[in-house]
Amino acid sequence: MEKSLTMSLFDPMMTNFHRIGLAGLFMSLQQLGKSGGVEGGTWDLSDVGVTLRWGDKPKEFFEKLLSSSFRVSNDGLVDFAAHRSRGMG
C-alpha cells in the first residue's frame, strides 16, 4: 500500500523557516529527479509544494533520500544535491 505526504507553502502553521526548508527539499528533489530519483519512492513537484510517495519500506526510502541529498565532499565540505548543477559561487 502506497503512503504519501504532501507539503505546501501555504499549509496552516507554515512559518518562514518551514518555507525555506520546503524550498530546499524542492530543489534537492528537482536535482535528484534529473539523476533518476531514489529507489523506493517517487515525488511530484508543483509551483507551491511537494508530494512524497513511498511503499511498504519508508525507512529505506527516506534513508536513501537523505543520503542522496546531503553528502560530504572529498574536501570535507557539505555537498547539497540542490547545488550540484549550480555552484554556490
Side-chain angles (χ1 to χ4, degrees):
M1 181 175 176
E2 185 177 84
K3 307 265 187 194
S4 67
L5 171 66
T6 300
M7 297 165 279
S8 171
L9 292 172
F10 305 109
D11 285 342
M13 308 297 287
M14 286 289 277
T15 68
N16 288 335
F17 290 114
H18 291 113
R19 290 182 181 111
I20 292 166
L22 183 57
L25 175 62
F26 179 97
M27 293 186 325
S28 293
L29 294 173
Q30 188 176 44
Q31 182 63 31
L32 291 173
K34 293 176 185 175
S35 64
V38 174
E39 183 182 337
T42 62
W43 51 83
D44 292 317
L45 306 175
S46 75
D47 291 343
V48 297
V50 170
T51 298
L52 299 173
R53 291 187 184 82
W54 61 92
D56 57 351
K57 297 183 180 180
K59 182 179 180 194
E60 286 83 357
F61 169 64
F62 284 101
E63 283 178 350
K64 288 178 184 176
L65 180 61
L66 289 172
S67 66
S68 298
S69 298
F70 307 104
R71 299 179 184 159
V72 177
S73 73
N74 293 334
D75 301 327
L77 301 173
V78 177
D79 171 28
F80 295 102
H83 295 161
R84 290 188 187 135
S85 65
R86 298 182 282 263
M88 291 204 38

